[in-house]
């Protein structure tokens, strides 16, 4: 048996439970980073290369992983908090088998900059998008209700929009095809209400509505999703479950009703492709496909290198059997803006 990165991740998570201090931290970090390696650890070892080439692997973990890979132990059933996560290596293989997907992808619809909790400027994210051959990106920094993430108030959002206009003017002047969408990840409360004044939202090209509080509630949360979808300013339901790998299971709901409501209102639901989130996950994306709802894919990147995780979102959509014509990222940005304008018009 050859262990996959997914199985290495699970073994590391389990082993961490019986360790303390630095070894426990190293194993937990390994479990997390194994989702992000672009090569299978087994392939690295079989090629005679050191596992320390993989991010987060030092001398001690090299020995631990080598022992597992050379004599694979039994991998127990994965608990729900770590279930239905793709690895980046797996995603690359899946998307690579369907070259038309990456070739026809036009852009990334969720990312953050230094205007909230990102670590790169708008121009730096735009430059990275240009090297990826994108036609557009959406800058979706957080709104003011999420203070822990440096959420923007209305004045800061206006200043950012003006900077985006300047970046777009410079790109157009240089003959570049890239266009930066003025967007926002708006914090939404349990009643579906946003945290920004209406006038500040009307000029934006795209608005993601996301929950960032009370994400460990175990009761059915269908009502909060339906309320958020009925918010006239919300175009996309961002990372709907609110789950995080090995940290938080996420919310429960009557997902068929949620997706049918989104389809009826012509709203979209998101695949957040960041490896820790993968939300919506493949199982729920199958239900979303059956409901005929629009899909938006974003990396939730907080720096340029994290934009590579678009392949995780694409792979999830592929595994769920979602058609490209239902995914916003395969549409021209003018069509996306036309769609959001039609939603505003009722």
């Amino acid at each position: 048996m050859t262990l996959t990165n997914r199985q290495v991740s699970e073994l590391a998570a389990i082993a961490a439970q019986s360790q303390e201090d630095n070894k426990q931290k190293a194993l937990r970090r390994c479990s997390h980073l194994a989702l992000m390696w672009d090569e299978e650890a087994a392939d690295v070892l079989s090629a005679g290369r050191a596992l320390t080439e993989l991010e987060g692997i030092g001398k001690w973990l090299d020995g631990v992983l080598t022992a597992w890979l050379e004599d694979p132990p039994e991998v127990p059933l994965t608990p729900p908090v770590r279930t239905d996560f793709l690895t980046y290596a797996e995603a690359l293989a899946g998307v690579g088998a369907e070259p038309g997907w990456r070739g026809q992808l036009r852009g990334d619809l969720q990312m953050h900059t230094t205007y909230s909790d990102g670590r790169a400027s708008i121009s730096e994210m735009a430059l990275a998008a240009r090297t990826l051959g994108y036609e557009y990106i959406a800058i979706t920094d957080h709104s003011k209700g999420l203070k822990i993430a440096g959420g923007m108030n209305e004045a800061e959002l206006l200043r950012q929009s003006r900077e985006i206009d300047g970046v777009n003017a410079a790109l157009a002047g240089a003959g570049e095809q890239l266009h930066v969408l003025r967007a926002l990840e708006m914090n939404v409360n349990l009643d579906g209400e946003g945290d920004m004044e209406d006038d500040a939202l009307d000029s934006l090209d795209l608005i993601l509505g996301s929950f960032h509080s009370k994400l460990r509630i175990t009761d059915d949360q269908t009502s909060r999703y339906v309320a958020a979808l009925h918010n006239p300013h919300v175009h996309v339901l961002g990372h709907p479950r609110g789950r995080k790998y090995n940290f938080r299971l996420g919310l429960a709901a009557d997902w068929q009703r949620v997706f049918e409501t989104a389809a009826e209102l012509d709203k979209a639901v998101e695949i957040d492709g960041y490896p820790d989130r993968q939300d919506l996950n493949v199982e729920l994306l199958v239900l979303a496909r059956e409901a005929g709802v629009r899909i938006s894919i974003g990396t939730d990147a907080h720096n340029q290198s994290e934009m590579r995780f678009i392949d995780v979102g694409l792979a999830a959509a592929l595994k769920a059997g979602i058609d490209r014509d239902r995914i916003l990222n395969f549409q021209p940005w003018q069509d996306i803006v036309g769609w959001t304008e039609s939603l505003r018009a009722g």
Side-chain angles (χ1 to χ4, degrees):
M1 184 181 88
T2 300
L3 291 179
T4 64
N5 286 355
R6 182 68 194 84
Q7 292 170 316
V8 168
S9 173
E10 183 60 22
L11 289 171
I14 294 169
Q17 298 171 9
S18 60
Q19 295 288 345
E20 296 180 353
D21 301 326
N22 290 337
K23 288 184 177 180
Q24 183 181 72
K25 291 178 182 178
L27 285 163
R28 285 178 175 172
R29 187 164 184 258
C30 174
S31 178
H32 164 85
L33 290 174
L35 297 180
M36 304 184 186
W37 296 335
D38 59 2
E39 295 180 272
E40 294 287 348
D43 293 341
V44 173
L45 189 65
S46 65
R49 294 157 53 200
L51 293 179
T52 51
E53 293 182 23
L54 299 171
E55 184 180 1
I57 302 302
K59 184 176 180 180
W60 178 72
L61 276 176
D62 187 340
V64 173
L65 267 62
T66 297
W68 289 344
L69 291 166
E70 291 181 343
D71 185 17
E74 181 179 351
V75 182
L77 290 175
T78 306
V81 76
R82 297 194 295 271
T83 295
D84 204 9
F85 284 86
L86 305 174
T87 67
Y88 183 46
E90 182 183 2
L92 288 175
V95 176
E98 296 286 344
W101 276 63
R102 191 183 289 115
Q104 295 182 34
L105 180 74
R106 295 175 183 265
D108 182 340
L109 293 175
Q110 192 195 161
M111 62 184 64
H112 301 271
T113 73
T114 51
Y115 270 90
S116 62
D117 58 345
R119 296 184 292 280
S121 68
I122 295 169
S123 294
E124 288 169 334
M125 297 301 274
L127 178 60
R130 188 180 65 179
T131 63
L132 292 170
Y134 286 167
E135 295 177 18
Y136 55 82
I137 54 173
I139 299 297
T140 57
D141 281 304
H142 292 289
S143 58
K144 64 183 181 183
L146 199 63
K147 293 182 180 179
I148 193 172
M152 301 179 294
N153 61 29
E154 287 81 359
E156 291 165 330
L157 176 62
L158 178 60
R159 186 165 70 249
Q160 183 189 66
S161 292
R162 289 172 175 167
E163 183 174 335
I164 289 173
D165 289 342
V167 170
N168 281 331
L171 288 167
E176 298 289 346
Q177 68 168 355
L178 182 71
H179 183 81
V180 182
L181 295 172
R182 294 170 298 164
L184 179 72
E185 184 178 7
M186 182 171 65
N187 196 44
V188 179
N189 67 20
L190 273 65
D191 295 320
E193 299 167 338
D195 61 349
M196 301 288 278
E197 296 296 330
D198 291 352
D199 291 348
L201 303 174
D202 290 338
S203 64
L204 296 178
D205 299 316
L206 181 71
I207 301 172
L208 279 61
S210 301
F211 299 116
H212 293 103
S213 61
K214 298 188 182 299
L215 298 178
R216 295 183 183 275
I217 295 175
T218 57
D219 296 342
D220 185 286
Q221 296 295 296
T222 304
S223 61
R224 77 152 92 172
Y225 290 106
V226 172
L229 288 166
H230 276 92
N231 183 321
H233 293 294
V234 172
H235 307 134
V236 179
L237 199 59
H239 50 69
R241 284 181 61 186
R243 73 171 187 164
K244 280 194 174 181
Y245 177 79
N246 206 25
F247 177 72
R248 185 173 62 224
L249 186 59
L251 299 171
D254 179 347
W255 291 107
Q256 182 173 347
R257 182 183 169 199
V258 172
F259 299 144
E260 288 175 351
T261 300
E264 179 183 351
L265 297 172
D266 198 25
K267 302 290 181 80
V269 295
E270 186 188 43
I271 305 174
D272 186 319
Y274 194 80
D276 272 2
R277 288 189 179 273
Q278 300 190 40
D279 180 10
L280 295 163
N281 53 302
V282 174
E283 182 180 359
L284 290 184
L285 284 170
V286 172
L287 294 179
R289 181 202 69 206
E290 293 171 350
V293 67
R294 291 179 185 264
I295 301 293
S296 176
I297 303 177
T299 56
D300 207 348
H302 286 63
N303 59 53
Q304 302 94 314
S305 68
E306 291 175 354
M307 292 171 70
R308 71 189 188 275
F309 295 133
I310 195 72
D311 285 299
V312 177
L314 291 173
L318 273 166
K319 286 179 72 69
I322 295 173
D323 293 333
R324 283 200 297 259
D325 62 5
R326 301 304 301 162
I327 301 175
L328 297 176
N329 307 65
F330 290 98
Q331 300 174 11
W333 68 264
Q334 296 91 338
D335 289 0
I336 295 175
V337 173
W339 163 64
T340 61
E341 288 177 347
S342 71
L343 292 177
R344 286 194 176 100

